[in-house]
Amino acid sequence: MEDNYILYVFFTHRLNLNKVYDRIINMMKNHNSDNFVIVQGGFKNNSYNKDKKILNINCNDKYEGLPEKVFKTYKYLIESSDFNQYTHFFKLDEDMIINKLIISNVYNNIKYGGLVNNSYDCDRKWHFGKCSPDHYYNTIEYKGKCVPWCLGGYGYIISRYAIELIQNDTKYFDHIYEDLYIAILLFEKNIKPVNINIKEFAISPEHH
């Protein structure tokens, strides 16, 4: 049965949209779900194409722009009347496969949950070689804090309530790991990640 209170949010980028668009559309159609959006960056203004289910975000659309893209997407989703019905958002990479639709009794009481890395340390060089060659983070280690976070490559759930608590932050340019950045903001609001069996609902071909 379709659950109309959680939105599946697929992140891609402009250069890859045409490669993944039909697959995502057909996959969600096969699940009889209209509760999804596909996000790309690199635009001067935010806009939403309701017919095509595409959300365009004003942000750097490259690897180093992911913290900005993810944060601005969440902010748009909770502020836009197009998405008022949703209490939760399922953050997904463009290649992820939905096994089955998640139901409300799984996420109802979850503010932030997924496959959790409980370490207070992290690989501070993970981004090396992934950033634009001229970006300062391409050869500089991440020097910020690390807190337990949901591993974004597996997908995670975040609530509207949680996003509302952090929506006024503007420090996304100080970060390079988008999922850790969100976790840090939530940690500062006393929200810690909760482990849920996320693979029951979605899998990543890259991390499966």
Side-chain angles (χ1 to χ4, degrees):
M1 181 177 176
E2 172 71 294
D3 191 322
N4 292 316
Y5 298 101
I6 187 165
L7 183 73
Y8 296 75
V9 185
F10 293 90
F11 283 88
T12 187
H13 54 91
R14 291 178 75 173
L15 294 178
N16 220 38
L17 178 66
N18 290 337
K19 297 177 183 178
V20 303
Y21 183 80
D22 287 343
R23 186 195 72 82
I24 295 172
I25 293 292
N26 291 331
M27 176 176 65
M28 297 308 289
K29 186 181 294 184
N30 288 338
H31 286 291
N32 296 313
S33 175
D34 196 43
N35 296 313
F36 68 96
V37 66
I38 303 169
V39 182
Q40 61 177 343
F43 292 84
K44 291 185 178 180
N45 298 292
N46 296 332
S47 64
Y48 178 51
N49 186 322
K50 188 179 295 189
D51 293 331
K52 292 187 175 181
K53 313 287 287 185
I54 296 174
L55 177 57
N56 302 316
I57 295 294
N58 170 23
C59 68
N60 179 333
D61 202 31
K62 298 180 180 178
Y63 182 88
E64 64 269 14
L66 282 170
E68 178 189 13
K69 180 193 284 185
V70 170
F71 183 85
K72 286 185 174 180
T73 295
Y74 290 161
K75 187 174 176 66
Y76 186 95
L77 293 175
I78 66 166
E79 292 179 349
S80 170
S81 60
D82 287 318
F83 303 102
N84 276 348
Q85 75 189 69
Y86 301 107
T87 62
H88 290 75
F89 304 94
F90 197 163
K91 187 264 186 185
L92 299 151
D93 288 343
E94 60 188 14
D95 63 342
M96 296 196 71
I97 299 167
I98 303 301
N99 291 327
K100 64 180 180 178
L101 299 180
I102 195 166
I103 54 178
S104 59
N105 66 350
V106 173
Y107 67 81
N108 253 349
N109 297 316
I110 298 290
K111 297 183 179 74
Y112 172 50
L115 181 60
V116 179
N117 184 324
N118 283 303
S119 175
Y120 282 82
D121 197 8
C122 53
D123 183 350
R124 297 174 180 275
K125 298 180 180 180
W126 175 258
H127 57 284
F128 280 14
K130 297 180 175 69
C131 302
S132 301
D134 59 347
H135 193 270
Y136 63 89
Y137 254 129
N138 198 45
T139 55
I140 295 176
E141 289 187 24
Y142 170 67
K143 293 182 170 60
K145 69 167 70 172
C146 296
V147 300
W149 77 96
C150 290
L151 296 172
Y154 295 86
Y156 66 81
I157 294 168
I158 186 168
S159 70
R160 176 180 292 272
Y161 171 82
I163 297 171
E164 287 173 346
L165 291 178
I166 64 175
Q167 65 178 312
N168 294 321
D169 191 77
T170 57
K171 297 179 181 177
Y172 32 79
F173 293 128
D174 296 341
H175 294 263
I176 189 61
Y177 303 131
E178 72 276 18
D179 302 312
L180 178 58
Y181 166 51
I182 297 298
I184 290 170
L185 294 180
L186 294 174
F187 189 85
E188 292 171 349
K189 299 295 183 180
N190 296 314
I191 294 178
K192 297 179 181 179
V194 175
N195 255 311
I196 58 177
N197 184 17
I198 206 76
K199 292 182 181 180
E200 180 182 351
F201 306 99
I203 61 170
S204 165
E206 182 179 353
H207 300 287
H208 184 55

